[in-house]
Amino acid sequence: MRRTARALGNCASRSPVTAGYLALLLATHVWCTAVLSTAEAQRVVLGVSTHLDNLQDRPLRVLAGSLLFFDGTLTEITSQAFAGTLITLGLGVAVCLAWLERRYGPGRAYGIFLLGHLAATLLTVPVIQVALAHGWYPAGVRHAPDFGISYGAETVLAAGALLLPRARWLAAAGVVAWPVLGGDWSGVLPDFTTIGHLLAAAVGFVCGAVLLRTARRAAPAPASAPEPGPALVE
């Protein structure tokens, strides 16, 4: 227990912003699942959902409010929702976002996280509109619950995968595979959250490539071997 507490303390001290963000996400989750009634929690979730109707009426509120929650479970350990929690909250925020904060600072780390959240959310809007116009999605998609940190988590997972010293392409394939394998298809398109996660991954890959290229440019050039001096003639 002491070693575990010491390790957690070290992680929190090295990535304080992420530690605070994790605490906030856990607090809002407990508030919704253990304090509020089911009806009240549903109203909160619908109030921060980034579906078409909310994005049209109050875009800033839902884009910011959605970042305060994660869509998953901490108790149903045999469910698919718990696997999603492990990927988004565990690997995405607690591991990748914390590592990016330690290595590049909170500004860059959370810039990538927010960019992925915003870009994936907003870029799915025209996809949903086209799919609704062609009847590929049911009309209820316009106001379906859609909230949480998963797009941002997917973005930092993708960025972190490219920054790995080894097996980066295998890790990148895993980042793409998990939303695809868990997605539902409606005719010619997967569900819009799968599309959003793939867009978030694309943003993360671009950000990771930029960070990797910047690091390679900043790395000192290897010292060249000294040229041999003139041979001495006896």
Side-chain angles (χ1 to χ4, degrees), residues 130-138 186:
V130 170
L132 286 172
H134 287 80
W136 297 333
Y137 286 167
S186 299

Side-chain angles (χ1 to χ4, degrees), residues 73 76-77 79-88:
T73 179
E76 300 173 10
I77 60 175
S79 66
Q80 185 177 356
F82 185 75
T85 299
L86 290 179
I87 293 172
T88 57

